[in-house]
Amino acid sequence: MNIFREIADSFIDAELEVINSLVLQDPQPCVKEVCGIIKIYLENEKSNIFDDTDLISIKKQLSLISEIIDLFIMALPNESSWWVMPLVKECYELCNLDFTQRKILIIHSQDSSYYKVIPDITSNISNIVYDNNTKIDIFIIPIVACYDVSSISILGHEVGHIALNSIDIFDKFVTDEFVNQYPDNLDLLDYEKRKELKELRQKIALYIAEYVCDHIGYKLFGPAFAYALLKEFCPYISQPKSNSDSHPSQVSRFLNSYKKLKDYFSESEQANKGLNICIKNMIDNISPLLGNTLKPLDDEHQDKIEQFSSEVAGKISDMLTITPSKPLEEIWKLVEPEINAFRPPFEKVSENQPEIISPIEAVTATSIYYHGKHYTEHNDFYKVSLNHNNNKISTLHNKLIDHLKYAISLYDFAKASNKKCCQSLSAEDLTTTLWSMRTRDTGGSPNPLVITPSIDPKSQYSPNSVDLRLGTSFLLNKLTNYTHVTPTKGDGSNEIPLEKFYIKKHIQVGDDFILHPHHFILATTLEYICLPYDYYALVLGRSSWGRLGLTIATATTVHAGFRGCLTLELRNLGETPLLLKVGLRIAQLCLISVQADKTSAGYYASSGKYIGPVSAEIPKIRTDCDWDILDNYQKNIAG
Amino acid sequence: MSYMSLIESNARNAVAMLVLNKLRHKLLKREGASVAEPEIALIDKSIEIYQSTTLTKDMIIYSFYSVGNIAKSSALELSDAIDTALNSLAAMKKDKVDFINSLKNVLDCLRSDQPVTEKDKELSLDLIRHAMYTISSGDSANKDSIINPITF
């Protein structure tokens, strides 16, 4: 074997090892398929190495393959973002992207501060994957998406890049525009001029793409997207970053977004008042930044490039047929009551067939709701919570995001069920069941029992109880080096966080979970429960499961007025493992009337610890006041 | 550059490198070496871009990343590599025109299944090798930006 082949072998074998270990981790089938093709290609390439030039060629191929394999590793299902997929799918649908021909991989990245997208990743190894018709798009979702309600809509811009990947309007249109704009620069015989023009061309091409993607973002998410961009560029408006070759200046995009946001404000008296006030508040949040702080780029050439790119992008976006599912006002009317009631925006609650809220509608309205400060007068939690104002806003913001993510994650299941089980459902069908409490009114105020999403009301609701399904969130006990759990408050130095005893797990609807004999886990109900203030509830097992040895709850009381998914304490008392499927009916909720007047604020006005949960939560026993009482007592005795 | 365009830029360079190496293997008569028609067309297109005195549609369309076909778009990167390689050969007092004409002759011969002259072969191999090293030397410049891309 020659020395060059020996060197190449070591490079190739190292990459093959990485690929093998990826395949062993059970990636998505499309990834497995591509890995198989790459492996065959690399094995064959080993025999094509004869000299130093072959070595640099194979190193180039390997560097690209390695980059792609790294992305596949980051996109392994365990690491993926569990909630974002239905939102991406809806954006694809509205952008007329053929979903059957594309696979989507999600990377939920702690390392990235920005959204990123790589359309059709396998086309980058087109010399290897010649006959692969399936396109694989990779989205990198930054961790900030879990902490900022507006930033979720930036996904619209990223989907824009996928849409651009699939349209052919660039062909003549952009060419003509470019030649018209830069006729004097065509001195292509000069090497330096040629390079300069190529760089300019690429810069403009990238700018146009970015502007078009912004337009797609506006079309998909409306004011929510405009506001997200404004927030994104706030840090740079007084000190714009140096000119980027790939992105137009932040100032220019900031001004475009501001103009767009103002366009959503309506002067008409017929306009929805609540929505209009929100838009006005959003504009007012931004307006002070336009004064002294906004510094435009002091570069005439750059300005010209940006203006040209922006104009061309505007013309291209006019030709795009992306239409939101509903006008903004309708979206607002659909979603606002749900957020007001401190519920995940699954559906418009009614006694008849519920109208499902789509992920884009949910994101758009939630962002407007929060940034337009609509909650101050309308949100049930905000109005009754006894917390300090800043804490209240912070808790509300976190919960709005949790609820939003939860509603998005279950959208496909809720939509499919709505189509199958709720079609032409009417109040008469369920008149003798607890379903009729959905629109209940007591003393002139709404005081309903609402359980969402509505999956199959006819089989779930009975006159005495409502069946509940196994949810997607689990907390599993893990083996540790600690001798025992100490629920008491420590003095800080010896306190072992309760989190150390649990592993979080998310399982998709329809997937299996095996509960082994005598194992104890925390799970949740799939449904989000809103109890009236004059009823408390008991959560009980279903007898069919009980006969198989499954207990579902040990602390069964749910307080009047509680809102959230219920945490279930599952244990398999039998001697054989039990296969549970996420989404199966597993528990039942029974209501018990209590004496309460309508002014009672219920759970959130008391010191309720579990606020609007949508996942299994670690016990918060350390926040109990009992520890202080006992501590105080012991000190007194000792003293 | 954004992450997306960095990956595509690497991909285009990888395609360019692979096609050049295939042609090199063919000229060196290595066992099993072959150059397919689309690969010959790609090199042809890159020469056309290099020699063009006017801005063509392809030159503009290939400037866009994530639009169209990466293998075809890599003609732009290949043209760049040939351009830079020819400049470095010219710096060694060699005539650019001889090299580019030889490469064109080689492509014609491959298409018509005619034998390549020794002179055309030597000059083309020299140009190809220079172009491949040009592409290879561009790698390190890209890497820094991948770690900290400016994007979304």
PDB file of all heavy atoms in Angstrom, chain A residues 211-232:
ATOM      1  N   TYR A 211     -33.880  39.614   2.514  1.00  0.00           N
ATOM      2  CA  TYR A 211     -35.056  40.493   2.485  1.00  0.00           C
ATOM      3  C   TYR A 211     -36.311  39.715   2.093  1.00  0.00           C
ATOM      4  O   TYR A 211     -37.392  39.923   2.656  1.00  0.00           O
ATOM      5  CB  TYR A 211     -34.845  41.652   1.505  1.00  0.00           C
ATOM      6  CG  TYR A 211     -34.034  42.810   2.053  1.00  0.00           C
ATOM      7  CD1 TYR A 211     -32.920  43.292   1.381  1.00  0.00           C
ATOM      8  CD2 TYR A 211     -34.398  43.449   3.236  1.00  0.00           C
ATOM      9  CE1 TYR A 211     -32.176  44.365   1.868  1.00  0.00           C
ATOM     10  CE2 TYR A 211     -33.671  44.529   3.730  1.00  0.00           C
ATOM     11  CZ  TYR A 211     -32.558  44.982   3.040  1.00  0.00           C
ATOM     12  OH  TYR A 211     -31.838  46.036   3.523  1.00  0.00           O
ATOM     13  N   VAL A 212     -36.165  38.826   1.098  1.00  0.00           N
ATOM     14  CA  VAL A 212     -37.342  38.040   0.681  1.00  0.00           C
ATOM     15  C   VAL A 212     -37.814  37.183   1.856  1.00  0.00           C
ATOM     16  O   VAL A 212     -39.010  37.073   2.133  1.00  0.00           O
ATOM     17  CB  VAL A 212     -37.021  37.151  -0.552  1.00  0.00           C
ATOM     18  CG1 VAL A 212     -38.203  36.238  -0.855  1.00  0.00           C
ATOM     19  CG2 VAL A 212     -36.718  37.996  -1.772  1.00  0.00           C
ATOM     20  N   CYS A 213     -36.849  36.589   2.571  1.00  0.00           N
ATOM     21  CA  CYS A 213     -37.223  35.738   3.716  1.00  0.00           C
ATOM     22  C   CYS A 213     -37.921  36.579   4.798  1.00  0.00           C
ATOM     23  O   CYS A 213     -38.834  36.092   5.472  1.00  0.00           O
ATOM     24  CB  CYS A 213     -35.998  35.035   4.295  1.00  0.00           C
ATOM     25  SG  CYS A 213     -35.374  33.786   3.191  1.00  0.00           S
ATOM     26  N   ASP A 214     -37.498  37.820   4.966  1.00  0.00           N
ATOM     27  CA  ASP A 214     -38.208  38.709   5.905  1.00  0.00           C
ATOM     28  C   ASP A 214     -39.656  38.889   5.454  1.00  0.00           C
ATOM     29  O   ASP A 214     -40.586  38.822   6.266  1.00  0.00           O
ATOM     30  CB  ASP A 214     -37.522  40.080   5.989  1.00  0.00           C
ATOM     31  CG  ASP A 214     -36.279  40.048   6.871  1.00  0.00           C
ATOM     32  OD1 ASP A 214     -36.017  38.997   7.484  1.00  0.00           O
ATOM     33  OD2 ASP A 214     -35.560  41.064   6.933  1.00  0.00           O
ATOM     34  N   HIS A 215     -39.832  39.112   4.143  1.00  0.00           N
ATOM     35  CA  HIS A 215     -41.203  39.282   3.628  1.00  0.00           C
ATOM     36  C   HIS A 215     -42.035  38.034   3.898  1.00  0.00           C
ATOM     37  O   HIS A 215     -43.216  38.125   4.241  1.00  0.00           O
ATOM     38  CB  HIS A 215     -41.178  39.572   2.122  1.00  0.00           C
ATOM     39  CG  HIS A 215     -40.843  41.000   1.806  1.00  0.00           C
ATOM     40  ND1 HIS A 215     -41.730  42.025   2.024  1.00  0.00           N
ATOM     41  CD2 HIS A 215     -39.718  41.572   1.317  1.00  0.00           C
ATOM     42  CE1 HIS A 215     -41.163  43.175   1.669  1.00  0.00           C
ATOM     43  NE2 HIS A 215     -39.932  42.930   1.234  1.00  0.00           N
ATOM     44  N   ILE A 216     -41.409  36.870   3.730  1.00  0.00           N
ATOM     45  CA  ILE A 216     -42.137  35.616   3.984  1.00  0.00           C
ATOM     46  C   ILE A 216     -42.506  35.540   5.468  1.00  0.00           C
ATOM     47  O   ILE A 216     -43.606  35.133   5.832  1.00  0.00           O
ATOM     48  CB  ILE A 216     -41.294  34.398   3.513  1.00  0.00           C
ATOM     49  CG1 ILE A 216     -41.173  34.428   1.997  1.00  0.00           C
ATOM     50  CG2 ILE A 216     -41.911  33.083   3.993  1.00  0.00           C
ATOM     51  CD1 ILE A 216     -40.277  33.375   1.393  1.00  0.00           C
ATOM     52  N   GLY A 217     -41.591  35.965   6.328  1.00  0.00           N
ATOM     53  CA  GLY A 217     -41.868  36.016   7.768  1.00  0.00           C
ATOM     54  C   GLY A 217     -43.066  36.897   8.080  1.00  0.00           C
ATOM     55  O   GLY A 217     -43.953  36.522   8.850  1.00  0.00           O
ATOM     56  N   TYR A 218     -43.117  38.103   7.428  1.00  0.00           N
ATOM     57  CA  TYR A 218     -44.268  39.002   7.652  1.00  0.00           C
ATOM     58  C   TYR A 218     -45.552  38.328   7.188  1.00  0.00           C
ATOM     59  O   TYR A 218     -46.600  38.415   7.834  1.00  0.00           O
ATOM     60  CB  TYR A 218     -44.123  40.311   6.871  1.00  0.00           C
ATOM     61  CG  TYR A 218     -42.930  41.167   7.246  1.00  0.00           C
ATOM     62  CD1 TYR A 218     -42.058  41.657   6.262  1.00  0.00           C
ATOM     63  CD2 TYR A 218     -42.675  41.499   8.566  1.00  0.00           C
ATOM     64  CE1 TYR A 218     -40.975  42.447   6.599  1.00  0.00           C
ATOM     65  CE2 TYR A 218     -41.588  42.293   8.900  1.00  0.00           C
ATOM     66  CZ  TYR A 218     -40.736  42.756   7.909  1.00  0.00           C
ATOM     67  OH  TYR A 218     -39.661  43.531   8.241  1.00  0.00           O
ATOM     68  N   LYS A 219     -45.458  37.660   6.013  1.00  0.00           N
ATOM     69  CA  LYS A 219     -46.676  37.038   5.471  1.00  0.00           C
ATOM     70  C   LYS A 219     -47.184  35.930   6.390  1.00  0.00           C
ATOM     71  O   LYS A 219     -48.380  35.726   6.515  1.00  0.00           O
ATOM     72  CB  LYS A 219     -46.402  36.462   4.081  1.00  0.00           C
ATOM     73  CG  LYS A 219     -46.357  37.511   2.978  1.00  0.00           C
ATOM     74  CD  LYS A 219     -45.942  36.903   1.649  1.00  0.00           C
ATOM     75  CE  LYS A 219     -45.638  37.961   0.612  1.00  0.00           C
ATOM     76  NZ  LYS A 219     -46.737  38.297  -0.252  1.00  0.00           N
ATOM     77  N   LEU A 220     -46.263  35.213   7.030  1.00  0.00           N
ATOM     78  CA  LEU A 220     -46.680  34.083   7.865  1.00  0.00           C
ATOM     79  C   LEU A 220     -47.129  34.527   9.260  1.00  0.00           C
ATOM     80  O   LEU A 220     -48.110  34.037   9.790  1.00  0.00           O
ATOM     81  CB  LEU A 220     -45.531  33.073   7.998  1.00  0.00           C
ATOM     82  CG  LEU A 220     -45.150  32.293   6.739  1.00  0.00           C
ATOM     83  CD1 LEU A 220     -43.895  31.460   6.987  1.00  0.00           C
ATOM     84  CD2 LEU A 220     -46.288  31.377   6.310  1.00  0.00           C
ATOM     85  N   PHE A 221     -46.358  35.428   9.875  1.00  0.00           N
ATOM     86  CA  PHE A 221     -46.610  35.745  11.291  1.00  0.00           C
ATOM     87  C   PHE A 221     -47.026  37.201  11.532  1.00  0.00           C
ATOM     88  O   PHE A 221     -47.194  37.598  12.690  1.00  0.00           O
ATOM     89  CB  PHE A 221     -45.362  35.439  12.125  1.00  0.00           C
ATOM     90  CG  PHE A 221     -45.064  33.967  12.233  1.00  0.00           C
ATOM     91  CD1 PHE A 221     -44.163  33.361  11.382  1.00  0.00           C
ATOM     92  CD2 PHE A 221     -45.691  33.194  13.189  1.00  0.00           C
ATOM     93  CE1 PHE A 221     -43.887  32.001  11.474  1.00  0.00           C
ATOM     94  CE2 PHE A 221     -45.427  31.837  13.291  1.00  0.00           C
ATOM     95  CZ  PHE A 221     -44.521  31.239  12.430  1.00  0.00           C
ATOM     96  N   GLY A 222     -47.156  37.980  10.491  1.00  0.00           N
ATOM     97  CA  GLY A 222     -47.645  39.352  10.635  1.00  0.00           C
ATOM     98  C   GLY A 222     -46.866  40.171  11.654  1.00  0.00           C
ATOM     99  O   GLY A 222     -45.638  40.133  11.687  1.00  0.00           O
ATOM    100  N   PRO A 223     -47.591  40.905  12.523  1.00  0.00           N
ATOM    101  CA  PRO A 223     -46.915  41.808  13.462  1.00  0.00           C
ATOM    102  C   PRO A 223     -45.992  41.072  14.432  1.00  0.00           C
ATOM    103  O   PRO A 223     -45.029  41.664  14.935  1.00  0.00           O
ATOM    104  CB  PRO A 223     -48.067  42.460  14.220  1.00  0.00           C
ATOM    105  CG  PRO A 223     -49.285  41.710  13.887  1.00  0.00           C
ATOM    106  CD  PRO A 223     -49.045  40.954  12.629  1.00  0.00           C
ATOM    107  N   ALA A 224     -46.281  39.798  14.688  1.00  0.00           N
ATOM    108  CA  ALA A 224     -45.420  39.048  15.614  1.00  0.00           C
ATOM    109  C   ALA A 224     -44.018  38.941  15.042  1.00  0.00           C
ATOM    110  O   ALA A 224     -43.016  39.097  15.759  1.00  0.00           O
ATOM    111  CB  ALA A 224     -45.990  37.654  15.856  1.00  0.00           C
ATOM    112  N   PHE A 225     -43.929  38.728  13.744  1.00  0.00           N
ATOM    113  CA  PHE A 225     -42.612  38.622  13.112  1.00  0.00           C
ATOM    114  C   PHE A 225     -41.926  39.984  13.078  1.00  0.00           C
ATOM    115  O   PHE A 225     -40.734  40.103  13.374  1.00  0.00           O
ATOM    116  CB  PHE A 225     -42.747  38.058  11.690  1.00  0.00           C
ATOM    117  CG  PHE A 225     -41.431  37.931  10.983  1.00  0.00           C
ATOM    118  CD1 PHE A 225     -40.579  36.883  11.282  1.00  0.00           C
ATOM    119  CD2 PHE A 225     -41.028  38.874  10.052  1.00  0.00           C
ATOM    120  CE1 PHE A 225     -39.338  36.777  10.658  1.00  0.00           C
ATOM    121  CE2 PHE A 225     -39.802  38.770   9.421  1.00  0.00           C
ATOM    122  CZ  PHE A 225     -38.958  37.717   9.721  1.00  0.00           C
ATOM    123  N   ALA A 226     -42.694  41.018  12.731  1.00  0.00           N
ATOM    124  CA  ALA A 226     -42.115  42.372  12.687  1.00  0.00           C
ATOM    125  C   ALA A 226     -41.534  42.723  14.054  1.00  0.00           C
ATOM    126  O   ALA A 226     -40.413  43.239  14.166  1.00  0.00           O
ATOM    127  CB  ALA A 226     -43.185  43.386  12.274  1.00  0.00           C
ATOM    128  N   TYR A 227     -42.276  42.407  15.106  1.00  0.00           N
ATOM    129  CA  TYR A 227     -41.819  42.750  16.455  1.00  0.00           C
ATOM    130  C   TYR A 227     -40.592  41.905  16.843  1.00  0.00           C
ATOM    131  O   TYR A 227     -39.675  42.404  17.496  1.00  0.00           O
ATOM    132  CB  TYR A 227     -42.951  42.530  17.459  1.00  0.00           C
ATOM    133  CG  TYR A 227     -42.718  43.233  18.767  1.00  0.00           C
ATOM    134  CD1 TYR A 227     -42.955  44.598  18.897  1.00  0.00           C
ATOM    135  CD2 TYR A 227     -42.229  42.552  19.872  1.00  0.00           C
ATOM    136  CE1 TYR A 227     -42.724  45.258  20.087  1.00  0.00           C
ATOM    137  CE2 TYR A 227     -41.990  43.207  21.069  1.00  0.00           C
ATOM    138  CZ  TYR A 227     -42.241  44.551  21.168  1.00  0.00           C
ATOM    139  OH  TYR A 227     -42.003  45.207  22.352  1.00  0.00           O
ATOM    140  N   ALA A 228     -40.597  40.647  16.417  1.00  0.00           N
ATOM    141  CA  ALA A 228     -39.453  39.782  16.733  1.00  0.00           C
ATOM    142  C   ALA A 228     -38.182  40.339  16.110  1.00  0.00           C
ATOM    143  O   ALA A 228     -37.121  40.368  16.753  1.00  0.00           O
ATOM    144  CB  ALA A 228     -39.717  38.369  16.216  1.00  0.00           C
ATOM    145  N   LEU A 229     -38.283  40.811  14.861  1.00  0.00           N
ATOM    146  CA  LEU A 229     -37.100  41.389  14.216  1.00  0.00           C
ATOM    147  C   LEU A 229     -36.672  42.664  14.942  1.00  0.00           C
ATOM    148  O   LEU A 229     -35.483  42.891  15.165  1.00  0.00           O
ATOM    149  CB  LEU A 229     -37.381  41.719  12.752  1.00  0.00           C
ATOM    150  CG  LEU A 229     -37.335  40.585  11.730  1.00  0.00           C
ATOM    151  CD1 LEU A 229     -37.241  41.154  10.320  1.00  0.00           C
ATOM    152  CD2 LEU A 229     -36.164  39.641  11.947  1.00  0.00           C
ATOM    153  N   LEU A 230     -37.652  43.472  15.308  1.00  0.00           N
ATOM    154  CA  LEU A 230     -37.321  44.720  16.006  1.00  0.00           C
ATOM    155  C   LEU A 230     -36.557  44.420  17.301  1.00  0.00           C
ATOM    156  O   LEU A 230     -35.560  45.070  17.620  1.00  0.00           O
ATOM    157  CB  LEU A 230     -38.599  45.513  16.305  1.00  0.00           C
ATOM    158  CG  LEU A 230     -39.248  46.173  15.076  1.00  0.00           C
ATOM    159  CD1 LEU A 230     -40.680  46.594  15.364  1.00  0.00           C
ATOM    160  CD2 LEU A 230     -38.428  47.374  14.633  1.00  0.00           C
ATOM    161  N   LYS A 231     -37.039  43.411  18.022  1.00  0.00           N
ATOM    162  CA  LYS A 231     -36.351  43.043  19.267  1.00  0.00           C
ATOM    163  C   LYS A 231     -34.951  42.514  18.976  1.00  0.00           C
ATOM    164  O   LYS A 231     -33.998  42.794  19.688  1.00  0.00           O
ATOM    165  CB  LYS A 231     -37.154  41.956  20.006  1.00  0.00           C
ATOM    166  CG  LYS A 231     -38.215  42.526  20.917  1.00  0.00           C
ATOM    167  CD  LYS A 231     -38.948  41.435  21.646  1.00  0.00           C
ATOM    168  CE  LYS A 231     -38.146  40.869  22.798  1.00  0.00           C
ATOM    169  NZ  LYS A 231     -38.908  39.856  23.555  1.00  0.00           N
ATOM    170  N   GLU A 232     -34.857  41.745  17.905  1.00  0.00           N
ATOM    171  CA  GLU A 232     -33.576  41.130  17.541  1.00  0.00           C
ATOM    172  C   GLU A 232     -32.517  42.207  17.242  1.00  0.00           C
ATOM    173  O   GLU A 232     -31.351  42.054  17.577  1.00  0.00           O
ATOM    174  CB  GLU A 232     -33.805  40.257  16.304  1.00  0.00           C
ATOM    175  CG  GLU A 232     -32.627  39.423  15.879  1.00  0.00           C
ATOM    176  CD  GLU A 232     -32.284  38.337  16.886  1.00  0.00           C
ATOM    177  OE1 GLU A 232     -33.214  37.808  17.512  1.00  0.00           O
ATOM    178  OE2 GLU A 232     -31.088  38.039  17.029  1.00  0.00           O
TER     179      GLU A 232
END
